[in-house]
Amino acid sequence: MCGIVGYIGHREAYPIILKGLKRLEYRGYDSAGVALYDGNTINLCKTKGKVEALETKVKTQIATKGTIGIGHTRWATHGVPNDTNSHPHVSNSGNLVIIHNGIIENYESLKKELIKRGYNFASDTDTEVLVNLIEDVQKNQNTKLGKAVQIALNQVIGAYAIAVFDKKKPNEIVTAKLGSPLAIGIGDNEFFIASDASPFIEYTNNAIYLEDEEMAIIRRGKDIKIRKIKNDSIVAPYIQQLQINLEQIEKGGYDHFMLKEIYEQPNAILDTFRGRLLSKDAIIKMAGIEDNMKKFLNAKRIIIVACGTSWHAGLVSEYTFENLTRTPVEVEYASEFRYRNPVINEDDIVIAISQSGETADTLAAIKLAKAKGAFVFGVCNVVGSSIAREAHAGAYTHAGPEIGVASTKAFTTQITVLTLIALRLARAKGTISSTDFRHHLIELELIPEKVKKALQSDAYIKVVSEIYKDSKNVLYLGRGYNFPVALEGALKLKEISYIHAEGYPAAEMKHGPIALIDENMPIVVIATKKGHYEKVVSNIQEIKSRKGKIIGIVTEGDTSVKDLADHVIEVPETLEPLTPLLTTIPLQLLSYHIAVMLNKNVDQPRNLAKSVTVE
Ligand code: G6P
């Protein structure tokens, strides 16, 4: 998964591409490159490292003139991150230049053929194969670039979002998409190409999102022709008016996107239930549910598929759905589900949870579920994303763009949406009383204010972080609804501070992790009043007698845990199914501060990427 940017128009392309690449670094950041055409030559600059390193290299190595260009920020799949493997890639003749996000799965056999025909390859990438395949078609079949791209792509197996141009025809960029996202911004006599709209939102909010198996031929000063790659049929462009603005995308005064996104949670949760939760009328309105109510009511089982943090949100909602709707729920890692020949019935509902809506394993899992006749419901944050489009119906989380690689507001808004769905279904099924239903709605409406209150512990959490920042291992324990929160807290710490952390159901501690406990082991225990409080307090006692350091996440006013723990962080009281929305907050802040204190790259942790569009 990578970020791609392209420009063709009347302005200098380089500054637009550079800024665009910086905004797309969340998609991958192990190498970067740019290709600009100045009327004579293609000026190419590529480097291992971040876009900043590219910027420095460009200054000393190439001229940046030109009104057509493409750029790339990479997350390596084929070939290690180095200068040569970085994009753009140039064809053997030096005429064609390409950027690519995705994987060409059959690149090895294509490469062998091309080598037989005399082509040389400098890099280990699948992308260099593709650009030479296009060139080969162009030469042998004497076609225009668009046609050559189409013929070449019909030989390709895999996923791609590409942009390619030919220095002999510098008034045209050809783009195509299958599996990876591609947006085209339409300005005044100028066009922008990007993995999402952030690189061009300051120039235009008119955009076309290519569908899978579509290609676009973009001509300077003219129009865009969209065709189906398979059968060459013409597609009428659908131009959308985008509602996002740049400020939403940028850091808004915080040191890191992650911190900004943690603090955005009160509003993000509010946006999630805005217009859906009408507590005065005791109604939940969600079009995706209402339109398919019969399917939901007849469902024998709900299967939740997701990856990473979204999987944790799925685990929380397993408790919520089963408790409120009495429908059996299974939560599956999408990557396991897709390959284990799962039993899927036509009366199953598969809920796919994904912030980005682009996670390859989740997408494949829902394609499998659809093929087996299940009804697929998507819970995504990114509007118009692949999973949102592939699902039969869905509900957006409306959290706004999440840039920090470590997911925060996506998690709490996923839980919010899933709770709304569970409540709506419970009401329809009659598994919740009207009083209880109303009570849940009122409490849910109070959550944004309570999240704000939970955020007020930030300064104290910083103090606690300072004490434990040099730990080698941290254990997170929780029970019931808060067991998945323990998993999520441990994941957050691992992801951004590289400290080993494990989440465990509190009662399972005695079956293994207890052996690790000594005076050097910090243990974060979620021990809110609702749920299995007394049992968790007993677990805390067991830790205490082994001299473990206890950080308790407790309900406001708690005294029992305070007496036992080394530190307590309070969250407001709420109903049990809603506690994860509050207990998550201190865990996010704890991992954030520790990572900052350890001088780690909080928003772009090593080896990770925001959106994993490869399996
Ligand atoms: C990556 C991200 C995680 C995210 C996971 C699933 O690993 O770094 O933060 O939880 O993908 O992504 P999704 O977009 O499907 O929720």
Side-chain angles (χ1 to χ4, degrees), residues 449-596:
E449 278 309 310
K450 293 187 178 181
V451 171
K452 274 189 198 159
K453 206 134 187 247
L455 286 165
Q456 286 169 8
S457 299
D458 196 1
Y460 178 61
I461 295 169
K462 212 168 165 182
V463 172
V464 176
S465 305
E466 183 65 47
I467 299 170
Y468 295 105
K469 69 177 193 315
D470 297 316
S471 305
K472 296 282 170 273
N473 297 290
V474 181
L475 190 60
Y476 287 73
L477 302 176
R479 254 192 118 138
Y481 287 90
N482 283 300
F483 156 53
V485 177
L487 294 179
E488 175 60 10
L491 177 67
K492 287 285 87 76
L493 189 70
K494 274 187 268 214
E495 281 179 313
I496 58 170
S497 66
Y498 318 144
I499 293 173
H500 173 250
E502 268 191 83
Y504 245 82
E508 277 291 304
M509 177 184 74
K510 54 188 171 295
H511 298 293
I514 199 163
L516 298 168
I517 298 175
D518 61 15
E519 65 281 6
N520 299 315
M521 179 68 133
I523 299 124
V524 179
V525 190
I526 306 161
T528 45
K529 273 276 160 55
K530 298 281 159 52
H532 316 274
Y533 178 69
E534 284 79 15
K535 308 249 178 238
V536 179
V537 172
S538 304
N539 295 139
I540 292 176
Q541 252 144 0
E542 288 157 15
I543 300 167
K544 181 105 184 137
S545 50
R546 283 157 186 87
K547 299 197 171 61
K549 298 278 179 288
I550 301 156
I551 303 157
I553 311 297
V554 300
T555 309
E556 257 170 10
D558 179 286
T559 48
S560 311
V561 178
K562 210 175 211 162
D563 290 344
L564 295 167
D566 296 86
H567 316 273
V568 290
I569 302 165
E570 293 190 340
V571 294
E573 187 163 3
T574 185
L575 295 176
E576 196 189 354
L578 308 182
T579 52
L581 294 167
L582 303 178
T583 50
T584 303
I585 309 296
L587 305 192
Q588 293 170 343
L589 287 168
L590 189 70
S591 64
Y592 171 77
H593 289 304
I594 291 179
V596 171

Side-chain angles (χ1 to χ4, degrees), residues 123-155:
S123 76
D124 307 317
T125 64
D126 48 347
T127 308
E128 197 186 5
V129 175
L130 180 58
V131 72
N132 282 302
L133 181 65
I134 297 168
E135 178 156 292
D136 194 55
V137 175
Q138 214 185 14
K139 264 200 220 149
N140 291 332
Q141 306 194 22
N142 198 18
T143 57
K144 287 185 174 166
L145 179 63
K147 194 73 197 162
V149 168
Q150 186 182 21
I151 295 169
L153 289 178
N154 274 312
Q155 297 175 39

Side-chain angles (χ1 to χ4, degrees), residues 1 306-311 353-360 362 379 387 402 404-408 410 414 488 491-492 495 605 608-612:
M1 113 215 60
C307 303
T309 289
S310 298
W311 185 76
I353 310 173
S354 174
Q355 186 287 129
S356 62
E358 301 294 343
T359 302
T362 311
V379 172
I387 293 171
E402 192 181 65
V405 167
S407 190
T408 51
Q414 285 165 345
E488 175 60 10
L491 177 67
K492 287 285 87 76
E495 281 179 313
L608 297 176
K610 184 74 189 154
S611 155
V612 182

